[in-house]
Amino acid sequence: MRFRPCIDIHNGKVKQIVGGSLKDTGDFALDNFVSEKDAAWFAGFYAKDGLTGGHIIMLNPASSPYYEATKAQAIGALKACPGKMQIGGGIHAENAEEYIKAGASHVIVTSYVFKDGQIHFENLEKMKSRVGREHLVLDLSCREKDGDYYIVTDRWQKFTDVILTPELLTELSGSCSEFLVHAVDVEGKAAGIEEKVASMLGRWGQLPVTYAGGVSSFQDLSDLKRLGRNHVDVTIGSALDLFGGSMKYEEVISFLKTASGGSI
């Protein structure tokens, strides 16, 4: 289980938000933390500790008046640590190569592939042809409804008809190199992990998967290690002291380094 750093950017600022609160209308979100430091600073900070495979998420739509400021922050972060971080948020076949050239190791895609409630395999093929499977991460972020976990798109605001299952992971695994899964109902609440999601990801275990959402304590990390069978990686946002939380960054790195046999 490795630590995957995150940089979430909204309205041109590095933030931690309550995931389920995000609205395109008025570019609204409930903020847990707004940093005075820019995205490039965070990217450099992570890079000095040798952390790779983290993600930068742009949380404004292209129609937003804040979009260009958010994108500029993201590009600055990529250039600060070329080849070390992934990027997502409004990525599609026409702009994906721009981010790879700017320094992204991978592009992260949701809405372009999960469109109108369904999987658009033709768009998935376009992404593969543009950047290659080895540079593509599928974001399967989900919310619970009627006992199942449905993929959500458009900055986690829209439910698709697609349920997150081991069979879905297997079906999509030939088209990407990793999965990113935000458990959106607990994202930004620092109130514990979504155990059913973590357990499902741990049982599958065929590709690298990063789990995000609800981690607020070292007990949560222990639970994720157990449920994820030690091969589900983790992102910590609002609970981390870098973002105003109580979990000390250095202690998290030490804990996960020990849990992973020396690898971070």
Side-chain angles (χ1 to χ4, degrees):
M1 182 169 68
R2 295 193 299 149
F3 180 69
R4 301 287 197 110
C6 65
I7 304 174
D8 294 345
I9 309 170
H10 183 244
N11 294 357
K13 300 284 187 179
V14 175
K15 292 185 178 183
Q16 284 294 310
I17 68 167
V18 178
S21 73
L22 191 62
K23 306 292 182 187
D24 287 349
T25 303
D27 294 294
F28 174 80
L30 290 175
D31 297 333
N32 282 325
F33 178 84
V34 181
S35 179
E36 296 180 358
K37 297 180 173 64
D38 64 12
W41 182 90
F42 282 95
F45 181 85
Y46 296 138
K48 74 176 176 58
D49 283 336
L51 295 173
T52 60
H55 54 272
I56 300 164
I57 302 294
M58 299 179 289
L59 292 172
N60 292 102
S63 59
S64 167
Y66 293 100
Y67 176 75
E68 290 301 328
T70 290
K71 180 180 177 180
Q73 285 268 10
I75 294 293
L78 292 175
K79 290 183 175 179
C81 60
K84 297 185 182 300
M85 294 198 76
Q86 307 167 0
I87 189 166
I91 307 295
H92 49 75
E94 284 67 42
N95 66 7
E97 290 175 285
E98 174 188 359
Y99 293 103
I100 297 293
K101 290 177 181 177
S105 63
H106 300 69
V107 290
I108 305 166
V109 178
T110 310
S111 300
Y112 182 68
V113 170
F114 295 89
K115 197 175 180 67
D116 303 320
Q118 303 295 326
I119 304 173
H120 280 232
F121 286 99
E122 65 274 23
N123 285 356
L124 183 55
E125 287 300 316
K126 287 179 184 177
M127 288 300 307
K128 283 174 59 181
S129 67
R130 290 295 175 89
V131 299
R133 173 181 179 270
E134 67 276 14
H135 296 296
L136 182 58
V137 176
L138 289 180
D139 185 340
L140 304 183
S141 295
C142 59
R143 302 183 77 168
E144 192 273 337
K145 184 172 68 172
D146 300 326
D148 289 313
Y149 290 88
Y150 286 80
I151 308 300
V152 289
T153 66
D154 298 281
R155 292 154 301 284
W156 310 322
Q157 297 170 64
K158 296 181 181 179
F159 278 87
T160 69
D161 299 325
V162 183
I163 298 173
L164 180 63
T165 63
E167 292 76 19
L168 177 69
L169 294 168
T170 298
E171 180 179 17
L172 297 174
S173 63
S175 299
C176 64
S177 61
E178 296 187 17
F179 294 113
L180 170 64
V181 180
H182 291 84
V184 177
D185 290 327
V186 296
E187 175 74 18
K189 296 181 179 179
I193 64 172
E194 194 78 80
E195 292 192 358
K196 290 182 180 178
V197 173
S199 180
M200 179 193 306
L201 299 176
R203 291 195 308 271
W204 183 72
Q206 296 178 30
L207 281 184
V209 180
T210 300
Y211 170 90
V215 174
S216 61
S217 67
F218 288 93
Q219 183 59 55
D220 288 333
L221 287 180
S222 294
D223 290 343
L224 183 61
K225 179 177 183 289
R226 172 178 55 84
L227 294 167
R229 306 189 183 193
N230 205 29
H231 55 243
V232 173
D233 295 336
V234 63
T235 281
I236 305 173
S238 298
L240 205 61
D241 62 350
L242 294 178
F243 303 115
S246 62
M247 296 181 72
K248 296 185 181 300
Y249 169 82
E250 291 83 3
E251 293 178 7
V252 168
I253 296 300
S254 177
F255 180 94
L256 290 174
K257 190 172 183 178
T258 300
S260 301
S263 174
I264 55 172

